[in-house]
Amino acid sequence: MFPDKPLTEDALKTLSTTLVNARKQASVLKTFPGDVPTTLDAAYRVQDMSLTQWSDEITGWKVGMVVPELREQMGGERLMGPVFKKVTHFIGRPHNDDEFVELEVYAGGMVAVEAELVFELGKEITPGSIDTKGPLKHLINAVYAGVEIASSPVIDLNSYGPTAIISDFGVNQGMVVGAPIEQWDSVIENIQTSVFINNEYINSAPSNNVLRGPMAAVAYLIDQAAARNITLPKGCMICSGAITGVHDTVAGASATVSFEGIGNINMKLIPVTP
């Protein structure tokens, strides 16, 4: 999967430019466009390069997982990627049955729906200012039922591993923020979350169903942002990880994510236009 030697700076730059151009042009890449970065740090270098080429505001960050069989080799169990303003949809309430939000995805590329809790930061967090081994609840302004849409021009991006995912903006292509969850810390383990695609039931799980719980994902995001010298502003949204799994689909599909007792988020996935 990975080359024998670390990629050169020029190779990382070429990879960044190719992935960014594919996103801008909405063109499909049948394979990963070059060697896969050998380390998480190298992949974040690609992501940083790509951020300088992408003219959109960051509204939040997604947290994803490194597959268990690569965690020791990669030296980490989670990954992060930016969420941009153009693909952020703040609804703030449940959808009625006849309502939906349109989300752009890369037709012919990788597309997936993920049910997630979305955490809103209530204060700015500068690099190194928070000890994540201590309490973190005071940092959270609100928690919402939410969805991450994952999409990439690379058809089978996830099969290339976590460094490929990081290199392509963490494969994020959308965030939907639904209804707020009151008293979230005491109720999320009892909220059943379900995903339906094209009206077909896919999977269900308790809404805290991520590794060591969603607050562990928030702690990771704070630490990883600090390591990258990234300030997390007040109001930053954190997608804390797929609750029921990463569910592959295609452009043209419809999907519903249901948080029991909180409400539904209804979506239509439409092709990105260049």
Side-chain angles (χ1 to χ4, degrees), residues 254-267:
S254 63
T256 293
V257 170
S258 176
F259 286 79
E260 184 181 17
I262 304 299
N264 293 352
I265 297 171
N266 303 319
M267 298 152 280

Side-chain angles (χ1 to χ4, degrees), residues 63-65 114-117 148 209-210 217 238-244:
V63 177
M65 300 301 299
E114 303 176 25
E116 310 217 356
L117 293 176
E148 181 194 353
N209 185 47
V210 295
I238 301 172
C239 286
S240 57
I243 296 167
T244 65

Side-chain angles (χ1 to χ4, degrees), residues 124-186:
E124 178 182 88
I125 300 177
T126 56
S129 64
I130 298 296
D131 179 2
T132 57
K133 294 182 176 62
L136 299 177
K137 182 182 174 182
H138 66 286
L139 302 173
I140 307 303
N141 182 57
V143 176
Y144 302 88
V147 174
E148 181 194 353
I149 296 299
S151 190
S152 169
V154 183
I155 292 174
D156 55 348
L157 181 75
N158 284 358
S159 70
Y160 293 94
T163 59
I165 293 168
I166 291 168
S167 297
D168 191 23
F169 289 147
V171 79
N172 183 268
Q173 181 55 24
M175 173 176 66
V176 186
V177 182
I181 301 174
E182 303 298 333
Q183 299 179 323
W184 59 269
D185 56 327
S186 61

Side-chain angles (χ1 to χ4, degrees), residues 66 106 109 115 189:
V66 175
Y106 293 99
E189 65 181 326

